Amino acid sequence: MDTSSKENIRLFSKNSMQPVGRLSFQTEYPSPEEKQPCCGQLKVFLGALSFVYFAKALAEGYLKSTITQIERRFDIPSSLVGIIDGSFEIGNLLVIAFVSYFGAKLHRPKIIGAGCLIMGVGTLLIAMPQFFMEHYKYERYSPVSNSTLSISPCLLDSNNSLPIPVAEKSQSKINNGCVQTVAIIGPIFGFLLGSLCAKLYVDIGFVNLDHITITPKDPQWVGAWWLGYLIAGSITLLAAVPFWCLPRTLPRPRSREDSSSSSEKSKFIMDDHTDYQTPPGEKAKIMEMARDFLPSLKSLFGNPVYFLYLCASTVQFNSLFGMVTYKPKYIEQQYGQSASKANFVIGLINIPAVALGIFSGGIVMKKFRISICGAAKLYLGSSVLGYLLFLSLFALGCENSDVAGLTISYQGTKPVSYHERALFSDCNSRCKCSETKWEPICGENGITYASACLAGCQTTTGSGKTTVFNNCTCVGLAASKSGNSTGMVGRCQKDNGCAKMFLYFLVIAVITSYTLSVGGIPGYILLLRCIKPQLKSFALGIYTLAVRVLAGIPSPIYFGVLIDTSCLKWGFKRCGSKGSCRLYDSNAFRHIYLGLTMMLGIMSIFLSTAVLFTLKKNYVSKHRSFRTKRERTMVSTRIRKENCTTSDHLLQPNYWPGKETQL
């Protein structure tokens, strides 16, 4: 996002410089009347561009927040959700490298406006399946009537036959700061919007909410995921309007042009335009530029520092993208939190820590005037310290919820191994139960049962959220001190110790996010300084392309595939195919999620170390040789000056040999 914003600003003002050889009749200090329109239009452009990146970041953040909602709504595994998330980056791949190289010779504001229209329409299209599909139908126990009459969930089998086989089908259906700042603010509002929408039922406005028997804390709850996409799409369409009113180019203020105190970013955006100027009467030919494409690409990949930094960043972004994509899901499954609360803490606590870390890294670079080697050390140090802190998260997990037949036996003891027939026991052998359904109830003994039938419940009273199951034979096997054998709708909550672990997790996660993001600006400065000025735009385009292709797309997919391996109880669609996971093994989920993130982080640390050593080897040695050559040049120049001075004395008319001695 930062790369694209800088490129847009630079391209917008690039052709505003006068062509080579053309005389200027403007005064050196233009009047305020002449400067005001330019400055006003430039502010409009920066404001509009900032709003565009806010809308884009909002949509991206909201997409991450709806991962679990989409998974439950369409009953799909995490691996398929990862493909959906990764496909968000595919649209950029078709044009990003060529735009960054050829440099958009057309009307740039209108091109940006057209891109906003496409993004807005695409965001709106994401929400369309909600309006073409039937209403969401979660798995639940549905009594025949809404009365309080006693009805038996356990349908007794007169032949005492074995339970129904697995194949049974379920019955339920840009100046420094502003563009980069909003690029961080956007995801914050995206996750907060996701938190708000997750509290609203998915079919709000289409069904009677009084008949809904689940709450936002229930694992089967699906929020109004589609509502946020309508909002984000509308904002993106609105952001396109100003660009259709802007001119093709703007004259650059001369005061900024002659400034010698600009920062690294300002120089990248505003300077070095002589390399891009086209002589009068000539236009850049696409074929000539195309012939230079491969040599320029070869020059970039021939730069060892750039190539190693590209590899290190790609591996690290694999780690970060996968971690961020499934972080809401991890919080829900590991700590028993609702989707709304998971999105809220990420948007309000985690992302601001990232923004503060990026800002701190920039302040350190500017205040201490850190060199390119210092930037590489700061980038490496933040990664090492950040992943060391991340390592402590392995100890901050919660144990599996007690689910009869899956994580604990019906007698209340831990099972040796899991197999499908473990859902059945002597206490429910006479009930005609389905092992594919997931209609969890919480027994009085604190154990969750996959369904009221599998709990052996004989009668039920009440309706909706107040349904109570009575005379549950399986609950009686491991009854609580009260001796009751009843159950309530929904899963049992995790113990109080898990809530404390969640607070510790938040603290460590915030510190880790801050530490890792401190190296963002130093790494970016390292990228800019290790390449030739005329290749900066192209290098940033290739960098962004590599990160999106090799990290943004594949990491959510293979993270999802590996997370699916920790599933204990799969749901089944009405057609009989496998749906989404109903229950995960908390320990396996934690080890896969954190372990994969940590492994990729360690790989990026090794590559970052190689960047530092290569930088010292190549650039420090060149700097020393340059200093040695410069000193030799200065010495030879001083000798020549002394010789010239002696010659001048000899050529003076009043000079004769021995004059100084006599005086």
Side-chain angles (χ1 to χ4, degrees):
M1 289 187 293
D2 295 346
T3 302
S4 303
S5 63
K6 295 177 180 65
E7 182 66 12
N8 287 329
I9 297 174
R10 188 183 66 77
L11 291 176
F12 187 59
S13 58
K14 183 171 65 177
N15 286 347
S16 60
M17 295 187 63
Q18 296 183 7
V20 176
R22 182 177 296 179
L23 297 178
S24 173
F25 296 97
Q26 295 181 352
T27 59
E28 184 176 359
Y29 301 98
S31 62
E33 290 77 6
E34 294 175 344
K35 290 179 64 179
Q36 187 173 358
C38 166
C39 295
Q41 290 178 335
L42 183 59
K43 289 180 180 178
V44 171
F45 174 75
L46 289 175
L49 190 64
S50 300
F51 189 56
V52 166
Y53 276 86
F54 170 80
K56 182 175 182 291
L58 172 70
E60 290 179 343
Y62 185 75
L63 175 66
K64 301 292 184 184
S65 71
T66 58
I67 289 297
T68 56
Q69 310 289 309
I70 294 175
E71 179 179 341
R72 294 170 190 159
R73 174 63 180 91
F74 300 102
D75 211 11
I76 55 179
S78 298
S79 56
L80 185 54
V81 173
I83 296 176
I84 296 174
D85 181 82
S87 64
F88 193 81
E89 303 286 349
I90 293 178
N92 299 284
L93 308 182
L94 303 177
V95 294
I96 189 171
F98 297 99
V99 169
S100 65
Y101 180 74
F102 291 109
K105 297 296 182 181
L106 301 176
H107 197 298
R108 298 179 191 91
K110 290 186 178 180
I111 293 297
I112 297 175
C116 292
L117 292 178
I118 296 174
M119 285 196 303
V121 173
T123 306
L124 293 175
L125 286 176
I126 299 178
M128 289 300 104
Q130 172 66 21
F131 303 99
F132 297 116
M133 297 183 65
E134 60 183 357
H135 295 160
Y136 173 60
K137 294 184 178 180
Y138 52 90
E139 292 179 325
R140 68 196 187 281
Y141 172 71
S142 302
V144 176
S145 66
N146 293 329
S147 65
T148 58
L149 296 177
S150 297
I151 303 173
S152 176
C154 176
L155 301 177
L156 297 179
D157 184 10
S158 59
N159 296 326
N160 293 333
S161 61
L162 291 176
I164 301 174
V166 180
E168 177 192 13
K169 299 180 180 179
S170 174
Q171 299 298 319
S172 59
K173 296 206 234 199
I174 293 185
N175 277 344
N176 292 334
C178 63
V179 175
Q180 289 75 23
T181 302
V182 297
I184 295 295
I185 295 177
I188 295 177
F189 281 89
F191 275 96
L192 292 180
L193 179 61
S195 175
L196 176 62
C197 294
K199 292 182 179 179
L200 306 175
Y201 186 65
V202 59
D203 293 319
I204 185 173
F206 301 98
V207 297
N208 188 351
L209 298 182
D210 294 334
H211 296 164
I212 304 301
T213 61
I214 58 176
T215 64
K217 292 185 178 180
D218 194 288
Q220 297 186 84
W221 176 271
V222 175
W225 62 273
W226 50 273
L227 183 59
Y229 288 110
L230 296 181
I231 296 174
S234 301
I235 293 176
T236 306
L237 291 176
L238 185 63
V241 175
F243 290 100
W244 298 95
C245 305
L246 289 171
R248 179 170 182 173
T249 57
L250 288 178
R252 192 174 66 166
R254 189 172 297 276
S255 60
R256 291 292 302 273
E257 182 179 344
D258 298 333
S259 175
S260 60
S261 60
S262 56
S263 64
E264 184 80 21
K265 292 182 180 179
S266 301
K267 290 180 179 179
F268 170 64
I269 294 173
M270 305 299 293
D271 291 353
D272 296 330
H273 289 300
T274 54
D275 294 329
Y276 299 96
Q277 290 180 355
T278 302
E282 295 184 9
K283 294 183 178 180
K285 296 181 180 179
I286 301 298
M287 294 304 298
E288 293 180 358
M289 298 175 66
R291 281 196 293 267
D292 293 334
F293 183 87
L294 290 180
S296 299
L297 189 64
K298 183 178 179 181
S299 176
L300 281 181
F301 287 115
N303 186 330
V305 176
Y306 175 81
F307 180 75
L308 287 174
Y309 177 76
L310 183 66
C311 294
S313 298
T314 302
V315 174
Q316 187 177 38
F317 275 112
N318 269 272
S319 170
L320 299 179
F321 284 162
M323 178 184 66
V324 171
T325 300
Y326 293 99
K327 195 167 192 176
K329 186 183 184 72
Y330 180 77
I331 293 176
E332 292 179 45
Q333 297 293 333
Q334 189 69 209
Y335 302 103
Q337 302 296 323
S338 65
S340 177
K341 188 172 183 179
N343 292 327
F344 182 80
V345 296
I346 292 175
L348 201 62
I349 300 176
N350 205 86
I351 298 180
V354 174
L356 183 61
I358 294 175
F359 180 77
S360 300
I363 290 295
V364 171
M365 290 292 297
K366 182 178 181 180
K367 184 176 180 62
F368 297 100
R369 300 182 180 275
I370 297 179
S371 64
I372 184 173
C373 287
K377 292 178 182 178
L378 186 57
Y379 175 76
L380 175 61
S382 68
S383 297
V384 172
L385 182 57
Y387 283 107
L388 283 177
L389 290 171
F390 187 84
L391 193 62
S392 63
L393 295 180
F394 281 93
L396 301 179
C398 295
E399 293 297 325
N400 286 315
S401 299
D402 291 338
V403 181
L406 296 178
T407 64
I408 195 172
S409 68
Y410 279 88
Q411 289 74 27
T413 59
K414 299 292 182 181
V416 178
S417 61
Y418 165 75
H419 52 89
E420 289 183 340
R421 304 299 292 186
L423 285 173
F424 300 100
S425 179
D426 293 337
C427 62
N428 56 28
S429 60
R430 298 180 66 245
C431 300
K432 302 172 68 173
C433 303
S434 169
E435 59 185 350
T436 61
K437 286 187 178 181
W438 180 252
E439 304 166 355
I441 70 166
C442 179
E444 195 70 28
N445 54 7
I447 298 177
T448 300
Y449 297 86
S451 67
C453 182
L454 288 171
C457 299
Q458 304 297 321
T459 60
T460 179
T461 57
S463 62
K465 300 176 183 177
T466 61
T467 303
V468 178
F469 301 94
N470 303 307
N471 301 325
C472 303
T473 56
C474 294
V475 176
L477 288 178
S480 61
K481 294 181 180 180
S482 62
N484 295 330
S485 57
T486 61
M488 299 288 293
V489 175
R491 287 172 57 177
C492 298
Q493 297 295 321
K494 294 196 174 186
D495 56 14
N496 295 330
C498 191
K500 187 180 296 185
M501 283 292 185
F502 179 56
L503 293 178
Y504 295 152
F505 167 82
L506 287 181
V507 173
I508 299 299
V510 167
I511 299 176
T512 301
S513 299
Y514 172 82
T515 306
L516 289 173
S517 58
V518 166
I521 294 298
Y524 180 78
I525 297 301
L526 170 63
L527 176 65
L528 289 180
R529 291 182 181 177
C530 73
I531 54 181
K532 299 177 181 178
Q534 63 270 23
L535 293 178
K536 285 183 179 180
S537 173
F538 188 43
L540 289 173
I542 294 298
Y543 174 82
T544 306
L545 178 66
V547 168
R548 291 179 184 273
V549 174
L550 302 178
I553 294 177
S555 60
I557 298 176
Y558 63 75
F559 262 81
V561 170
L562 293 176
I563 287 175
D564 280 341
T565 61
S566 65
C567 183
L568 290 177
K569 179 69 173 69
W570 286 100
F572 288 88
K573 301 178 182 179
R574 286 177 297 171
C575 61
S577 61
K578 186 170 68 173
S580 61
C581 183
R582 304 293 193 246
L583 180 70
Y584 288 93
D585 185 338
S586 296
N587 293 324
F589 193 167
R590 181 172 69 255
H591 293 152
I592 291 173
Y593 174 76
L594 299 179
L596 188 56
T597 303
M598 191 69 192
M599 182 185 67
L600 293 170
I602 293 175
M603 291 174 59
S604 70
I605 289 175
F606 280 114
L607 290 171
S608 300
T609 305
V611 170
L612 181 60
F613 280 109
T614 305
L615 190 65
K616 286 184 176 181
K617 180 180 178 181
N618 291 355
Y619 286 84
V620 175
S621 60
K622 289 182 180 179
H623 181 64
R624 290 177 179 174
S625 62
F626 174 76
R627 290 183 57 185
T628 304
K629 184 178 180 180
R630 184 177 63 179
E631 291 173 356
R632 292 176 180 175
T633 304
M634 292 176 62
V635 171
S636 62
T637 302
R638 186 170 66 247
I639 294 175
R640 285 199 301 268
K641 287 184 178 180
E642 292 176 355
N643 292 337
C644 291
T645 303
T646 305
S647 301
D648 290 341
H649 281 297
L650 293 174
L651 293 174
Q652 289 179 2
N654 296 329
Y655 178 84
W656 64 90
K659 178 178 180 180
E660 291 85 354
T661 307
Q662 293 184 9
L663 292 175

